[in-house]
Amino acid sequence: MRLNWRGLLSAFGLLALLGASPSVAQTMPDLVSRDRLRVCAPPANMPFSDKAQQGFENKIAELVAGELKVPLHYFWMPEGPGFVHNTLLSDMCDLIVGYASESDLVDHSNPYYASTYVLVTRKGGPLDGVNRLSDPRLKNAKLGVIAATPPVDHLMALGVYDHVKSYSLLVDRRYSSPAEDALRDLAAGENDAVILWGPIGGYFAKVAKIPLTVTPLVTDKRPQFIYRIAFGMRRGETDWKEKLNAIIRKRQKDIDAILESYGVPLMPIAAAPIDVGRRERSGPH
């Protein structure tokens, strides 16, 4: 989703070429490596990826590398405008682990999961059980939402945006985490509920210090909040695409287990819209 929601990169363009640290240079690799799995990923983007390789996309990349029987190699770059061009399309890697299906920017594998936006509330609170943004109980509620994400337009159309606290979309996740900020405000009572992309909301709610309820928003139809996520790759690499699709078919249950262990709310892949044209990723959404 992902909606090309990425962190500010104008100030980090040089660092993207040098790597996550200005003192460590990354050399330009050969095109389409067959002796290692080259993955491009943000270095601080939990629950998706980080340099310690603790994110669920890191775990899925390890699974793919294991099936291919090659070592795993990362090219790290913070997310933001130009991420795809400066990584995958510049031949710095051969794979982006999480990419919205049907996006027209790159080619993609078959989807390996679908998820949805969620409403996060305090467990046992007055908004427990709310499962749609049109619920009358949200009319005067204090809502936290990430700016410029699909729920914003929906809230505006419903006329409930006056009570919304907006959190920045364009951030560098090495230094800021809007979703965590919104959930801290929820714990402090400054928000009554927070609307987040499911993998983000599910993960941070799972590790929160207070009990939280994560409710998938699957009854709101306009816009639909469910998106299908696949592997992203360059166009025209048919053999590579077939290999990835074969791995998905063989290891789908293992991939599901990884996602579920991170609290990702999984939806039936067939339930997601076909033509989304958007990229869902980490933190800023």
Side-chain angles (χ1 to χ4, degrees):
M1 328 207 289
R2 279 143 183 161
L3 282 164
N4 286 322
W5 303 330
R6 307 194 173 271
L8 288 172
L9 271 173
S10 57
F12 302 103
L14 179 59
L15 296 187
L17 296 177
L18 297 179
S21 166
S23 62
V24 180
Q26 299 190 54
T27 58
M28 182 73 73
D30 295 332
L31 297 181
V32 191
S33 173
R34 298 305 179 192
D35 59 0
R36 55 183 173 166
L37 176 62
R38 300 186 305 156
V39 173
C40 286
N45 198 27
M46 288 296 287
F48 302 94
S49 66
D50 70 358
K51 267 204 158 182
Q53 300 183 35
Q54 295 301 305
F56 67 76
E57 290 185 352
N58 297 125
K59 304 307 179 186
I60 293 171
E62 291 171 9
L63 181 152
V64 173
E67 283 294 320
L68 295 171
K69 295 180 172 55
V70 295
L72 176 59
H73 173 83
Y74 281 100
F75 180 78
W76 301 107
M77 180 175 175
E79 286 195 300
F83 176 85
V84 173
H85 176 77
N86 292 320
T87 58
L88 185 70
L89 300 186
S90 294
D91 300 313
M92 301 305 295
C93 63
D94 302 311
L95 185 69
I96 296 174
V97 175
Y99 207 99
S101 294
E102 287 78 45
S103 172
D104 58 3
L105 189 56
V106 302
D107 201 357
H108 57 85
S109 68
N110 293 337
Y112 62 88
Y113 81 96
S115 192
T116 182
Y117 277 87
V118 296
L119 188 74
V120 184
T121 56
R122 290 186 292 274
K123 193 173 183 65
L127 296 182
D128 250 5
V130 173
N131 63 2
R132 68 186 193 280
L133 297 186
S134 56
D135 191 299
R137 285 174 287 179
L138 296 183
K139 189 171 182 60
N140 296 311
K142 296 177 293 184
L143 302 177
V145 67
I146 305 300
T149 55
V152 171
D153 291 339
H154 203 56
L155 292 170
M156 294 181 70
L158 292 169
V160 295
Y161 200 72
D162 291 343
H163 304 282
V164 166
K165 182 175 182 179
S166 182
Y167 294 81
S168 297
L169 169 65
L170 298 178
V171 300
D172 187 326
R173 281 293 309 284
R174 293 174 296 176
Y175 310 110
S176 180
S177 181
E180 291 180 273
D181 292 341
L183 292 178
R184 276 193 289 267
D185 288 345
L186 175 64
E190 296 180 26
N191 290 325
D192 297 319
V194 176
I195 305 164
L196 295 168
W197 169 231
I200 298 171
Y203 174 77
F204 286 119
K206 184 174 182 177
V207 300
K209 294 181 179 180
I210 65 169
L212 298 174
T213 297
V214 178
T215 304
L217 295 171
V218 295
T219 60
D220 291 292
K221 301 301 183 184
R222 298 180 183 178
Q224 178 124 335
F225 292 145
I226 302 174
Y227 294 86
R228 307 192 300 178
I229 307 303
F231 295 128
M233 68 200 75
R234 288 179 294 273
R235 296 191 179 280
E237 297 178 351
T238 304
D239 290 344
W240 181 221
K241 183 173 183 176
E242 290 177 353
K243 284 183 180 180
L244 293 172
N245 285 340
I247 292 172
I248 292 171
R249 287 192 298 270
K250 179 180 178 182
R251 302 297 299 274
Q252 184 66 67
K253 289 183 179 179
D254 298 308
I255 293 172
D256 290 347
I258 292 171
L259 295 166
E260 289 169 354
S261 72
Y262 282 76
V264 176
L266 297 179
M267 300 290 111
I269 289 177
I274 297 299
D275 185 16
V276 295
R278 294 175 174 181
R279 178 124 192 266
E280 273 302 346
R281 279 204 74 83
S282 62
H285 15 300

